Amino acid sequence: MRGIVCVLIVLLAFACNGGEEAPRTATPAPSPSATPSATATGTPTAVEYPPKVSLTESGVYLMRPDGTDLRHLTAGQEGFYSSHWSPDGSRIAVVTSACNAPRVSVVDVDSGDAVEVAAFDGSAAAGVRWIVWGVQWSPDGRQLAVPARRYEEGAPYRTFLVNADGSGEPVELFEGFPLDWSPDGESLAFSARSEEGETLSIFDMATSTATVIDKGKSFGFLAWSPDGQQMAYSMHLPDVTQEEVVVIDRDGGNRRVVAEDGSHPQWSPDGKYLAFSTGGVGRGWSVALAPADGSQDYVEVAPGQVFRWSPKGDAILAWNVGPHLMLVSLATHEVRDLADDVRPVLPSSGFSFSPNGEQLTFIGSDPYPQEEAYNALYVVNIDGTGVQKLARPSRAIGWGADWSPDGRYIAFVDTIIGGCE
């Protein structure tokens, strides 16, 4: 059984097996620390920070990283919300699932103008309900892939292509769930149910044809390599409970298993390494690192269940049950607790780096009002200083802490499920 090892051992292992250069690292220090710092295993105590703003309504919000210029994008509406930034950060797609009738709108950040691009009619009284989940922007920002399904047992997702400017009518692309656009925008990877389980396919946008790449029990996560020539994904095999991490070429060739026990792979910005989660309930979770070419076995670098690469690829931000928010530095070989007097939580989208890599936003517990824990939006510097509460919600932050790609705004959702007649 692999134990938790420090980042230095990771780098030495890679250097001694095949001579590969470690990603963006300095020369290893002579006295490594064998385990994360003691603070990483402590139990944080929630502290009440004064909020920059206190919200009174649910919905999708935008805010500057310093807590100014608050925007409420969904005033007067109830239901489930999610938000999705355009590639250039100038617009944001907002999904409002009020009363079983989801709407997808695109909002211009500067002007506030919104255009509805997709709508699905539903009626609780008639028993017709829809779900929209996992909207994907095309890399050029001109279109969105919108997956929707009837809220009933066995109903499959159907993916529609809509224009971001609201022109034209939605076009159904395929029956299945979109996983990720290729970086060049020419292909869209998706999963679909089959008699044997699920298939992983590549949909060619130019020819409107789909090619099956792999089959398995289910596919949980997929990411294209930065150059768009490979895909990494996690999948369950039939009759096997654990997932494996697979890398495959764009045309379906050169399939290789990077880890027999892993999920949610993410590429390093330079495309040389994969980080992923390994472990599980009863065994504990760890963040693991491996060369993307599969030339060496993976090693575990920190405790953690969910993680993000830093924009420069020189650190990994990890969240672990406990809870802890940790920064794993690949330059100093250090695992550091961040904001250890706040209890980080993990809703649908829980934390992210600023585009310049200097700050982090995360969702943490807020002891307000007394005897109730509400999820508030926080920001902290990557060295652990400057913890601030940006927003105290009316209910709870249920989605977000997502920076715009240009770094101007943070999107988040104050969540409430409204009743329907």
Side-chain angles (χ1 to χ4, degrees):
M1 179 179 297
R2 298 176 176 86
I4 304 298
V5 297
C6 71
V7 177
L8 176 61
I9 297 177
V10 176
L11 304 179
L12 289 176
F14 288 165
C16 295
N17 291 276
E20 287 238 359
E21 181 183 356
R24 304 179 186 271
T25 60
T27 304
S31 302
S33 172
T35 59
S37 62
T39 58
T41 59
T43 302
T45 301
V47 173
E48 175 64 12
Y49 288 91
K52 296 289 186 179
V53 297
S54 293
L55 309 178
T56 59
E57 296 181 85
S58 61
V60 178
Y61 286 87
L62 300 184
M63 175 188 283
R64 299 277 188 180
D66 62 1
T68 63
D69 196 12
L70 182 70
R71 312 271 193 94
H72 192 191
L73 302 184
T74 54
Q77 298 177 346
E78 291 187 332
F80 172 80
Y81 309 99
S82 63
S83 57
H84 312 268
W85 284 106
S86 66
D88 65 358
S90 66
R91 293 162 295 164
I92 188 166
V94 175
V95 179
T96 304
S97 298
C99 298
N100 312 299
R103 298 288 190 269
V104 183
S105 299
V106 173
V107 181
D108 183 272
V109 173
D110 290 330
S111 68
D113 294 338
V115 58
E116 187 174 278
V117 298
F120 300 86
D121 293 329
S123 167
V128 178
R129 297 185 294 171
W130 284 89
I131 296 174
V132 169
W133 183 259
V135 170
Q136 296 264 351
W137 282 88
S138 62
D140 62 9
R142 298 173 59 189
Q143 297 173 307
L144 298 102
V146 178
R149 75 175 182 89
R150 292 278 294 269
Y151 190 67
E152 57 189 35
E153 186 176 357
Y157 272 100
R158 295 152 57 197
T159 295
F160 298 85
L161 186 69
V162 301
N163 294 327
D165 62 4
S167 64
E169 296 293 328
V171 175
E172 184 172 348
L173 295 180
F174 47 77
E175 184 177 289
F177 189 88
L179 297 173
D180 200 11
W181 288 85
S182 60
D184 58 15
E186 295 179 357
S187 303
L188 185 59
F190 72 97
S191 62
R193 295 177 182 175
S194 68
E195 294 181 356
E196 296 80 17
E198 285 192 7
T199 57
L200 172 64
S201 300
I202 303 300
F203 185 86
D204 184 88
M205 302 301 294
T207 63
S208 297
T209 58
T211 302
V212 176
I213 299 297
D214 206 352
K215 298 180 179 180
K217 183 178 180 180
S218 65
F219 296 88
F221 187 88
L222 179 141
W224 289 85
S225 60
D227 63 6
Q229 299 306 304
Q230 302 176 89
M231 294 172 289
Y233 53 92
S234 56
M235 63 176 291
H236 280 102
L237 296 174
D239 303 321
V240 177
T241 57
Q242 69 188 40
E243 294 180 84
E244 64 180 13
V245 175
V246 178
V247 174
I248 198 168
D249 287 352
R250 183 174 183 147
D251 61 4
N254 193 25
R255 184 187 189 277
R256 54 194 181 276
V257 177
V258 175
E260 296 180 350
D261 182 11
S263 62
H264 291 78
Q266 295 181 27
W267 296 84
S268 60
D270 61 9
K272 293 182 178 180
Y273 291 87
L274 282 171
F276 52 89
S277 300
T278 185
V281 178
R283 295 182 294 152
W285 291 92
S286 298
V287 179
L289 193 66
D293 61 8
S295 60
Q296 298 162 40
D297 198 5
Y298 71 85
V299 287
E300 299 171 12
V301 298
Q305 183 176 359
V306 183
F307 63 93
R308 303 284 187 273
W309 280 97
S310 68
K312 296 180 180 179
D314 57 357
I316 294 175
L317 178 65
W319 176 90
N320 193 39
V321 177
H324 305 287
L325 193 61
M326 296 162 289
L327 188 69
V328 184
S329 172
L330 301 183
T332 64
H333 323 131
E334 178 186 8
V335 180
R336 180 192 305 128
D337 261 14
L338 299 175
D340 56 5
D341 53 358
V342 180
R343 297 178 63 85
V345 296
L346 189 69
S348 300
S349 176
F351 54 86
S352 64
F353 279 97
S354 62
N356 62 13
E358 296 178 359
Q359 290 180 295
L360 311 165
T361 52
F362 68 96
I363 298 171
S365 66
D366 180 4
Y368 168 82
Q370 290 185 356
E371 299 181 0
E372 291 190 63
Y374 278 42
N375 302 340
L377 180 66
Y378 290 83
V379 65
V380 62
N381 298 326
I382 59 170
D383 62 3
T385 64
V387 179
Q388 298 182 72
K389 183 189 295 179
L390 295 182
R392 171 182 286 164
S394 65
R395 297 297 177 117
I397 305 297
W399 176 282
D402 294 328
W403 294 78
S404 61
D406 58 14
R408 293 190 300 159
Y409 285 94
I410 298 168
F412 62 97
V413 176
D414 187 340
T415 299
I416 179 175
I417 302 298
C420 299
E421 296 295 331

